Amino acid sequence: MQFLNSLKAYGCNIEAGLDRMKGKVDFYKRLISKFPEVIEENEFRSLIESNQIERAIEKTHLIKGVTANLSFDSLYKSYTKIVDYLRQGNPEAALKEFDEIEGLQKELVDFIKNNAG
């Protein structure tokens, strides 16, 4: 449980996540341990830079869903904005929002990789 409680420092709503998982701590931890892979497969910036906006929306929407399911609230809020900006045809604003969360996201991914075992 220490691992889960430590995630709160990254804007994760652990109580809501556990509630969503019907209190299944091990299942929730297993899903969290897969989060770094989802993020590392994200090609968001390169898709935007190569003007593949529809694909960027698909990829970003996937991450938005994952962050919602895991109750990673801080990232979920930002990915919601990013998807909205992309749908509005404003990739510059989407990149700016991504730049604002990229550091937090990297810290969270590193923490999970180093502590989820």
Side-chain angles (χ1 to χ4, degrees):
M1 200 65 176
Q2 178 64 31
F3 166 72
L4 293 180
N5 285 328
S6 296
L7 292 172
K8 291 178 182 179
Y10 301 96
C12 303
N13 186 340
I14 301 312
E15 292 80 14
L18 282 171
D19 187 53
R20 185 171 277 120
M21 303 299 152
K22 309 279 189 238
K24 297 177 182 174
V25 174
D26 289 339
F27 180 65
Y28 187 40
K29 285 172 139 177
R30 235 184 356 256
L31 291 178
I32 289 171
S33 71
K34 295 176 189 243
F35 182 71
E37 184 178 321
V38 171
I39 294 302
E40 289 168 351
E41 291 176 356
N42 182 17
E43 314 160 78
F44 174 73
R45 188 176 302 282
S46 64
L47 290 171
I48 295 295
E49 290 170 352
S50 63
N51 204 33
Q52 297 180 52
I53 304 302
E54 287 303 315
R55 187 150 154 83
I57 291 171
E58 290 172 17
K59 292 280 194 173
T60 306
H61 192 267
L62 169 76
I63 295 172
K64 174 186 165 188
V66 170
T67 58
N69 285 331
L70 294 175
S71 296
F72 289 1
D73 292 351
S74 57
L75 292 178
Y76 169 73
K77 289 174 187 171
S78 288
Y79 275 105
T80 298
K81 289 179 187 177
I82 291 168
V83 169
D84 290 344
Y85 287 138
L86 290 173
R87 287 183 175 153
Q88 294 164 6
N90 193 347
E92 296 82 15
L95 280 171
K96 184 177 182 211
E97 183 70 29
F98 182 73
D99 289 342
E100 291 179 19
I101 62 157
E102 193 172 24
L104 171 67
Q105 180 174 271
K106 181 178 178 353
E107 288 176 26
L108 176 59
V109 165
D110 289 345
F111 178 80
I112 293 169
K113 286 171 126 179
N114 293 325
N115 297 284

